[in-house]
Amino acid sequence: MLKGGKVGLRARHEDDIPILQAELYDDVANHSRADTRPWRPITPGSTAAKVVVDDEDERLAAFSVVELDSGTLVGSAELWHIDNHNRSAHIGVTLLPSSRGKGYGTDVVAVLCHYAFTVRGLRRVQIETLADSAAMLRAAERNGFAREGVLRSSAWVMGEFLDEVLLGLLAEEWKPDSKA
């Protein structure tokens, strides 16, 4: 397990899947804000569910996020589109509704940066998030990410196009103790 100050990132367990599916994936509005792919109904127990991890996909490192003190599942985190040639990847974080607003997001981003830069030896990580996602913007900036641009009207979310903010962090800019 990778540990931060408040959370740990561990492999996805079988009993995490129904919780993540019900609280994250099956919430259409939440899924539409968190994923670039359109929501579609997935049968419980299906291996096609987004929350089921494909251990053979080397371009994805998917984690379950747990609270360190209790071991309670609080969300999902990913290093995705890992590009070993260019030594880059993207960060994704989704917390269960009951776990939002507790500072977990900042800690998850810090642990994912540690994994990306220290464990994987990557050079760059980036985050794309909706411009109105104050929590993700705050978590990224507290970890040293710089705003690199705005992708205007790039995300289709529940009937409207929204702007996305692109944030990036290079290995030499990363400070392991930069989390708030």
Side-chain angles (χ1 to χ4, degrees), residues 148-169:
E148 296 180 336
V150 174
L151 306 170
R152 297 177 303 140
S153 294
S154 64
W156 179 253
V157 179
M158 301 297 291
E160 64 179 323
F161 283 103
L162 299 177
D163 293 349
E164 288 182 288
V165 176
L166 175 64
L167 303 108
L169 181 65

Side-chain angles (χ1 to χ4, degrees), residues 2-7 9 91 93 103-118 125 127 136 139-140 142-145 169 174-180:
L2 299 169
K3 294 182 180 180
K6 297 179 178 187
V7 299
L9 273 56
I91 285 178
V93 178
Y104 296 148
T106 298
D107 203 30
V108 172
V109 171
V111 177
L112 284 171
C113 287
H114 167 77
Y115 177 70
F117 296 132
T118 303
V125 290
I127 295 172
M136 189 60 177
R142 285 181 177 167
N143 279 287
F145 282 76
L169 181 65
W174 177 60
K175 295 177 181 71
D177 60 350
S178 65
K179 60 185 185 239

